[in-house]
Amino acid sequence: MSIRIGLFTIVVDDYDEAIDHYTKALGFELVEDLDQGDKRWVVVRPPGAETGIVLAAADGEQQRAAIGNQTGGRVGFFLYTDDFEREHSRMLRADVTFLETPRTEAYGTVAVFQDDYGNKWDLLEPRGDGVIRTTMDRTIAASPETVFDLLTTPDGLVRWWPSTADIDLRVGGAYHFHWEGPDVHLRGEVTAVEAPSLFAYTWSWDHEETPPGDVRIELRDEDGSTALHLEHTASTTDEAGDHRAGWEHFLARLAEVAEEPR
């Protein structure tokens, strides 16, 4: 026995304008466009997908009132991709309206966008490896060399993060950070280092029994400032939430220290 959803309908106000939007801005394929006399049978679908969307021109006031509000203002449609960054960038270039910046959830990387009719969609790259990734981006008004020094040297680290720091800055080298107030210890191993653009390491608290995580920090020069991209893995949503809250605080502190006048 086989059962599946073959088609669903989105109500629009004009066939040709809808085809233009869904094929050009959203990147769908036009599968069918048949003249049926008083109406047309128009079907589009994402490349490689089986389920298609019938673009139906509204007929009457009741249908026109439903344009852009078929799900009462909720996100009603979910567009999956295997490369969120690629599709997000392409859609921005096509002037698709995103209602939020990309965010990392337990189920994947997601951002809500709105089609030309007001329908809300999720652009979503699902996570398939069971790992939860927290990603964060910051711009710091200091050079990558300055930021890298604050991230990787004991003297730099204690200015914004732990009370004491020991680090063997080479791949395979060990590090140990200690906070005196709560008396907690963070340990791990350097997994990648390329001055002044990349620093990656494992992450394990002495007082927690969760599996070790991984941190990867990339730095890129932007006209004398530093674009910082951070990714931190976790095994639970609670742990990922703690990571985000901690990094929100300490990345702000890192920027404050990096931007201090010399």
Side-chain angles (χ1 to χ4, degrees):
M1 178 178 177
S2 175
I3 186 170
R4 63 188 177 88
I5 296 175
L7 298 166
F8 63 89
T9 297
I10 290 181
V11 182
V12 299
D13 57 3
D14 180 87
Y15 287 116
D16 292 322
E17 289 180 2
I19 290 171
D20 189 70
H21 174 62
Y22 280 92
T23 59
K24 293 181 180 178
L26 301 191
F28 291 6
E29 298 172 342
L30 178 62
V31 179
E32 294 182 271
D33 184 2
L34 304 177
D35 187 349
Q36 297 183 323
D38 59 342
K39 61 182 179 179
R40 288 157 63 182
W41 177 256
V42 177
V43 177
V44 297
R45 68 184 176 204
E50 293 186 2
T51 302
I53 303 171
V54 177
L55 300 178
D59 182 9
E61 289 302 318
Q62 183 176 3
Q63 291 184 17
R64 278 191 285 273
I67 294 174
N69 194 36
Q70 292 184 209
T71 56
R74 293 180 63 93
V75 173
F77 311 100
F78 301 83
L79 184 61
Y80 281 27
T81 176
D82 60 359
D83 190 331
F84 180 91
E85 185 175 352
R86 177 197 66 210
E87 288 304 309
H88 184 254
S89 297
R90 183 192 63 76
M91 292 167 72
L92 286 175
R93 291 194 300 271
D95 294 326
V96 174
T97 300
F98 278 86
L99 304 181
E100 63 178 356
T101 57
R103 51 191 164 87
T104 301
E105 301 290 352
Y107 50 82
T109 304
V110 62
V112 177
F113 71 91
Q114 186 171 277
D115 65 22
D116 274 3
Y117 303 95
N119 299 300
K120 292 180 181 178
W121 296 66
D122 270 0
L123 176 65
L124 172 64
E125 180 182 349
R127 293 296 184 197
D129 56 7
V131 175
I132 302 167
R133 291 175 174 83
T134 296
T135 60
M136 303 184 74
D137 293 278
R138 294 290 183 273
T139 299
I140 300 174
S143 69
E145 289 79 9
T146 295
V147 178
F148 187 82
D149 183 76
L150 291 169
L151 289 167
T152 60
T153 65
D155 289 344
L157 283 157
V158 299
R159 294 179 60 195
W160 65 278
W161 200 17
S163 304
T164 62
D166 293 304
I167 183 168
D168 181 4
L169 193 60
R170 61 185 176 87
V171 174
Y175 74 86
H176 172 211
F177 302 158
H178 176 231
W179 285 260
E180 293 176 353
D183 191 25
V184 293
H185 299 259
L186 180 66
R187 305 176 195 268
E189 180 179 292
V190 176
T191 56
V193 57
E194 297 176 12
S197 59
L198 172 64
F199 181 43
Y201 50 95
T202 60
W203 172 286
S204 181
W205 292 105
D206 282 5
H207 64 284
E208 294 182 354
E209 296 182 357
T210 54
D214 291 287
V215 176
R216 181 181 178 88
I217 301 173
E218 299 175 2
L219 307 175
R220 187 180 72 255
D221 180 80
E222 283 193 350
D223 298 324
S225 292
T226 298
L228 181 150
H229 176 77
L230 178 146
E231 182 173 296
H232 192 163
T233 66
S235 55
T236 68
T237 54
D238 286 345
E239 185 185 11
D242 290 343
H243 289 167
R244 178 170 292 278
W247 283 118
E248 287 279 2
H249 173 78
F250 282 110
L251 287 180
R253 179 60 184 151
L254 170 64
E256 181 182 337
V257 171
E259 294 170 1
E260 289 177 351
R262 293 191 174 186

